[in-house]
Amino acid sequence: RVELVDSGGGSVQAGGSLRLSCTVSGYIFSSGVDCMGWFRQVPGKEREGVAVIDPDGTTKFANSVKGRFTISLDNAKKNLYLQMNSLEPEDTAMYYCAALKGAGSCMVVGLAWYADVWGQGTLVTVSS
């Protein structure tokens, strides 16, 4: 079993940066997890995928964040990060880290999937 605990959210001015962290318990990629990522959700709207990463480091990003956000996973597979730069008010949301088993790779499932394991969420608020 694995658990994810995400953190690093906060309130920032437009144009600012935040680095979200997700602490991983267990052995993610040796336990059948083959895709990890970050999702975000605002009240009344569908959850949307922000960024995903494969064990080999291959990544995909939502068009809305390309060039501004980066996703990374440390070598020990114990910490997942989302570096968010040039933040805009439309980035305001609850952000969740997530892990998926049996997908094959993030490149197969893309940015639209429901995770097997979720973090508890960390709130990002961007003001103008």
Side-chain angles (χ1 to χ4, degrees):
R1 302 182 187 272
V2 299
E3 290 186 348
L4 306 176
V5 179
D6 40 25
S7 62
S11 181
V12 299
Q13 197 76 18
S17 298
L18 285 172
R19 183 179 175 88
L20 305 185
S21 299
C22 176
T23 299
V24 180
S25 66
Y27 299 93
I28 294 296
F29 291 110
S30 63
S31 299
V33 173
D34 46 25
C35 182
M36 297 193 71
W38 291 91
F39 292 77
R40 64 188 182 187
Q41 190 166 28
V42 298
K45 295 185 178 180
E46 290 289 320
R47 179 184 61 252
E48 60 178 324
V50 176
V52 295
I53 185 167
D54 278 337
D56 68 0
T58 306
T59 59
K60 283 186 178 291
F61 298 90
N63 288 335
S64 59
V65 306
K66 285 181 180 178
R68 300 189 297 119
F69 291 11
T70 58
I71 186 171
S72 60
L73 183 67
D74 67 8
N75 290 335
K77 309 296 189 290
K78 292 295 185 181
N79 294 282
L80 180 72
Y81 303 100
L82 184 68
Q83 178 67 47
M84 305 185 295
N85 299 323
S86 302
L87 284 162
E88 301 294 339
E90 57 265 31
D91 295 315
T92 296
M94 186 72 75
Y95 284 71
Y96 302 87
C97 63
L100 182 67
K101 292 183 177 181
S105 75
C106 293
M107 305 305 107
V108 172
V109 295
L111 296 166
W113 45 271
Y114 195 87
D116 293 304
V117 184
W118 295 94
Q120 83 285 357
T122 184
L123 181 63
V124 172
T125 302
V126 185
S127 61
S128 60

